[in-house]
Amino acid sequence: MSLPKVVITRPLPEAGLSQLREQVQLVENKKDRPMQRTELLEAVQDAHGVIGLLTDRIDAEFFDAAPKLVGYANYAVGYDNIDVTEATRRGIPVSNTPDVLTRATAELAWGLLFAVARRIVETDGVMRSGHWPGWGPMQYMGMDVSGRTLGIVGAGRIGTAMALMSRGFDMPVLYLESPSGRRNQILESKVNAQCVSWEELLQRSDFVSVHCPLTPATRHLFDRRAFRKMKNSAILINTARGPVIKEDDLVAALREGDIAGAGLDVYEKEPVMADGLAALQQAVLLPHVGSATHTTREAMAELAARNLLAMLHGTVPPTCLNPEVLA
Ligand code: DGY
């Protein structure tokens, strides 16, 4: 009997794939760039399974192009690239990679927070330029972190992990009330976090860290109106999805001093940035590397592979987004 065919749309860490290699016929895109749409649709024509990326759009057209598809595994926790409703309508299970990247992403959010607050990238540039004149009492002053208020937008796994990591810095923690009204017991009991309204979170936070998924409700959540409600001294961190922030408005808000700084790992139109953003010294800009540690990226590959193997065997994958299709 021939082995099922599985397409992987971009090279992934090998350590995660060994089990898959033994059980399927693997067809890997060897080019380290997102597949063009036509390449992708052609590659999946006779695929039984696909492991894809946040840059691959998994929608009705994709499913039409892959009539033999039994399951799709996303190599990301965010799944705004997948039309889950459409997959469910067609009875196709789809999965993501939660948990394994929680700490790495939360750690990077802290890295950005410190980099902006203490002007780490800017001052590293001073040293490299050879223009540092020597120590001076008025130089490169930034913002304290300890004791300042941290506001979490999206208190799910990563937002919770980030807030818990604040314990060493003695920070009051605020988090945004969820639409369902469900409270985060972990945050409330472990860091005494306060569940507040959108307005209150914006007005009271010194640091606002974004961890919510991208949905129609969160697209452009941060626009000029929101920035104007924030403290002028506030710093915004985003390690979630770029379109949660209206990037042109962020550039204007930084230029005009509505807020003091921003640390971004994600962008509205990746890989392109809004005009003017790159010129702003009060922004620290990273190339979507929240989960980019060796162990995390390997664990993501392993989890995506386990998800896909389960789908091929007709069992419920460990982190399925629509388990009802297998019930
Ligand atoms: C995700 O997993 O959603 C990240 O953006 C990539 O690791």
Side-chain angles (χ1 to χ4, degrees), residues 77-80 153-156 210-219 221 240-244:
V77 64
Y79 54 90
D80 45 281
V153 175
V210 181
H211 301 284
C212 58
L214 174 63
T215 65
T218 62
R219 182 175 293 274
L221 189 61
R241 283 291 180 266
V244 175

Side-chain angles (χ1 to χ4, degrees), residues 60-308:
E61 186 187 37
F62 170 87
F63 294 123
D64 283 344
K68 296 188 183 159
L69 197 75
V70 174
Y72 170 80
N74 216 32
Y75 183 77
V77 64
Y79 54 90
D80 45 281
N81 61 311
I82 309 174
D83 186 341
V84 180
T85 311
E86 183 61 25
T88 306
R89 197 181 68 73
R90 295 174 186 238
I92 299 173
V94 292
S95 63
N96 65 341
T97 58
D99 301 318
V100 292
L101 46 63
T102 297
R103 291 183 73 86
T105 309
E107 286 170 4
L108 191 88
W110 278 103
L112 277 170
L113 188 153
F114 273 103
V116 182
R118 298 303 303 273
R119 304 170 63 174
I120 289 174
V121 176
E122 176 192 345
T123 49
D124 173 271
V126 173
M127 294 310 293
R128 290 172 198 276
S129 73
H131 291 136
W132 183 47
W135 190 84
M138 302 302 284
Q139 286 171 1
Y140 315 124
M141 285 179 277
M143 183 167 155
D144 285 321
V145 173
S146 294
R148 296 295 174 97
T149 299
L150 174 64
I152 301 286
V153 175
R157 296 181 190 84
I158 300 171
T160 299
M162 192 206 177
L164 293 180
M165 288 174 188
S166 74
R167 280 179 287 193
F169 305 114
D170 219 3
M171 301 169 85
V173 175
L174 308 177
Y175 72 98
L176 191 60
E177 59 193 14
S178 76
S180 68
R182 200 157 23 99
R183 303 282 282 263
N184 186 322
Q185 302 298 346
I186 297 175
L187 281 190
E188 295 196 7
S189 63
K190 297 207 168 158
V191 289
N192 221 1
Q194 225 188 313
C195 180
V196 295
S197 67
W198 172 239
E199 309 280 321
E200 196 174 346
L201 185 128
L202 294 180
Q203 283 161 6
R204 286 178 56 196
S205 300
D206 296 299
F207 300 97
V208 174
S209 193
V210 181
H211 301 284
C212 58
L214 174 63
T215 65
T218 62
R219 182 175 293 274
H220 289 176
L221 189 61
F222 285 86
D223 58 8
R224 199 68 198 274
R225 260 161 46 102
F227 294 128
R228 289 198 171 117
K229 289 182 182 147
M230 292 171 71
K231 294 185 185 182
N232 296 148
S233 57
I235 288 172
L236 177 69
I237 306 298
N238 189 7
T239 53
R241 283 291 180 266
V244 175
I245 295 176
K246 200 167 176 197
E247 217 165 271
D248 284 332
D249 283 11
L250 174 64
V251 171
L254 288 169
R255 274 193 188 135
E256 289 167 37
D258 296 348
I259 65 171
L264 306 180
D265 186 41
V266 289
Y267 303 87
E268 198 175 340
K269 295 182 185 137
E270 294 181 9
V272 175
M273 288 189 290
D275 280 351
L277 187 56
L280 296 173
Q281 216 148 40
Q282 63 273 49
V284 172
L285 307 168
L286 301 182
H288 204 147
V289 289
S291 62
T293 70
H294 291 286
T295 47
T296 297
R297 288 281 165 89
E298 282 170 14
M300 288 167 68
E302 211 223 330
L303 180 53
R306 277 199 291 138
N307 275 322
L308 199 69

